[in-house]
Amino acid sequence: MRLLLKDCEMPEGFRERFITSAYRRAYSTPWECVKSLFYINNESFNVWSHIFTTVFFVMRYSTLLALTQTPHLFDPFTLPLFASAIGTFTLYSTSSMAHLFNSISERGYKICFFFDYAAISLYTFTSAQAVFFYTRPTNTNWIIFEIPSVYMSLAATLSFIATYSTCKTGNKVFKYGNLLRTISCLVAWLNCTLPFIVGVTLCSCHANSSTSCVAFSACNSASVGYYFRHAFCTVVAGLMYSTRLPERLLPGRFDLVGNSHHFMHVFVALSTEFGLKLFEFDIKHKRSWRQREGAWADTTADASFINTVGAAVIVMLINAGIALWFSRSLKSKESVHEK
């Protein structure tokens, strides 16, 4: 029995646009999916790239937690980092599992990516938590930045909308399905970066400035540099996913490596790393800046277990519930698919 098949030998629900070869056998058992880890197929790069990324970020977050030097593990200063870790680990582990087990059935194919979409939306929420508590400006008189529950409610709502819209467009064939899914995630990402953008563009990092609001990032070119790299990688990942380049131009030439989904995995991982460097810079230098500039309010003073880790778990469960709802609505035999 051949391990790899061409697209014409696969049921329509398993086919990817412009990917013509190296498909695993349709209706594989879970054990056969696991064994596919050890031979080259058109999902190998997708699975292994995020397995390695998951391991990498386990080490990165462990190092960052050691840098905080807090008196106890659940100090308010570390809680946003814990929440961010939940979203990051969920994103990359869910993605690797979705790509590994998506050949079980056509219905299972869609279900795998419904939960992948939910994990992406959770990641946008937990990233928003970390950006808010570590980089938000103070003394803005903007309710959204002064009251954590207001910002968290907005971030959670956008996360739910992103999960719903991505599952909705993934459930049926839409001509611009990839673009619509990309836009919904980018909107949630823009809200995630809003505290940093406002702090850099409208505030100052000096106590004697005429500007009323204060932000640590306003006078730090390193923070701005990390943000621009993070934003660049995020936008490139979205463009690659929505345009299906380069495989659209040369179908079949990038089945094993070099297609748009592979590039998206790489750029999303780089985006996560640059975002993490942004938090790392704050963790290393912000406390000394506060002492030098005066007794500014600690942006993590409002952090609690409920509005960080607790909120992340609640948003995770609701997003998973949305994915489950779409999964249960699928017909037992689906033959139409667009990832």
Side-chain angles (χ1 to χ4, degrees):
M1 182 183 297
R2 289 185 299 140
L3 293 176
L4 301 179
L5 305 174
K6 295 184 179 297
D7 59 342
C8 59
E9 301 173 285
M10 298 292 291
E12 188 175 355
F14 290 99
R15 299 177 197 170
E16 287 298 324
R17 295 170 63 196
F18 314 116
I19 304 298
T20 64
S21 65
Y23 285 91
R24 295 172 296 173
R25 189 170 62 85
Y27 308 110
S28 300
T29 65
W31 177 238
E32 288 172 330
C33 291
V34 172
K35 290 194 293 184
S36 71
L37 283 168
F38 305 104
Y39 63 85
I40 302 298
N41 57 78
N42 63 21
E43 288 286 13
S44 294
F45 187 97
N46 294 325
V47 175
W48 281 107
S49 62
H50 275 181
I51 288 176
F52 287 134
T53 302
T54 302
V55 174
F56 173 78
F57 281 116
V58 167
M59 295 186 292
R60 285 287 283 123
Y61 276 97
S62 299
T63 302
L64 271 179
L65 284 170
L67 281 175
T68 60
Q69 298 179 343
T70 51
H72 53 86
L73 193 60
F74 292 107
D75 185 270
F77 194 73
T78 62
L79 285 172
L81 199 59
F82 273 112
S84 176
I86 290 172
T88 301
F89 299 158
T90 301
L91 168 65
Y92 291 109
S93 60
T94 302
S95 174
S96 59
M97 293 302 100
H99 285 286
L100 180 61
F101 292 107
N102 64 20
S103 62
I104 290 177
S105 69
E106 292 172 272
R107 184 169 179 265
Y109 199 117
K110 287 190 175 183
I111 291 173
C112 281
F113 289 105
F114 286 164
F115 283 93
D116 191 22
Y117 301 149
I120 294 170
S121 298
L122 171 67
Y123 171 74
T124 64
F125 175 76
T126 57
S127 296
Q129 288 180 298
V131 171
F132 178 83
F133 284 115
Y134 288 127
T135 73
R136 65 174 164 140
T138 57
N139 301 327
T140 61
N141 295 320
W142 293 19
I143 294 178
I144 193 173
F145 296 139
E146 300 300 326
I147 304 176
S149 59
V150 174
Y151 181 79
M152 296 306 157
S153 297
L154 176 60
T157 300
L158 290 173
S159 173
F160 303 147
I161 292 173
T163 299
Y164 180 86
S165 60
T166 51
C167 288
K168 184 70 174 178
T169 56
N171 190 17
K172 300 180 183 294
V173 172
F174 288 88
K175 183 176 180 181
Y176 301 106
N178 280 2
L179 180 60
L180 293 174
R181 287 193 286 277
T182 301
I183 290 173
S184 64
C185 291
L186 283 177
V187 169
W189 171 76
L190 286 172
N191 175 69
C192 166
T193 62
L194 183 63
F196 180 86
I197 294 173
V198 170
V200 169
T201 56
L202 302 181
C203 302
S204 171
C205 64
H206 297 300
N208 57 358
S209 171
S210 58
T211 306
S212 60
C213 61
V214 180
F216 169 66
S217 304
C219 298
N220 289 282
S221 59
S223 294
V224 176
Y226 289 140
Y227 171 75
F228 277 123
R229 285 173 240 177
H230 164 76
F232 173 79
C233 291
T234 301
V235 172
V236 170
L239 287 174
M240 297 298 289
Y241 178 75
S242 59
T243 59
R244 297 273 187 173
L245 294 173
E247 68 270 19
R248 178 187 292 272
L249 302 177
L250 295 168
R253 295 292 297 273
F254 304 99
D255 294 351
L256 294 178
V257 65
N259 65 56
S260 60
H261 210 86
H262 299 164
F263 280 112
M264 184 191 72
H265 274 216
V266 172
F267 278 101
V268 166
L270 288 172
S271 171
T272 302
E273 169 62 9
F274 287 128
L276 204 54
K277 283 185 177 294
L278 193 62
F279 309 149
E280 184 177 31
F281 188 83
D282 271 29
I283 289 170
K284 286 181 177 178
H285 304 287
K286 195 169 187 178
R287 282 178 170 170
S288 60
W289 167 77
R290 287 175 57 229
Q291 293 172 355
R292 184 176 68 250
E293 291 293 333
W296 298 108
D298 187 353
T299 55
T300 60
D302 295 327
S304 67
F305 189 86
I306 293 175
N307 64 18
T308 54
V309 175
V313 172
I314 291 171
V315 170
M316 176 195 294
L317 292 175
I318 294 176
N319 276 318
I322 296 171
L324 182 62
W325 183 79
F326 275 98
S327 300
R328 291 173 64 87
S329 70
L330 287 173
K331 296 177 181 179
S332 58
K333 291 186 178 180
E334 285 278 358
S335 61
V336 181
H337 164 69
E338 181 191 11
K339 189 176 79 179

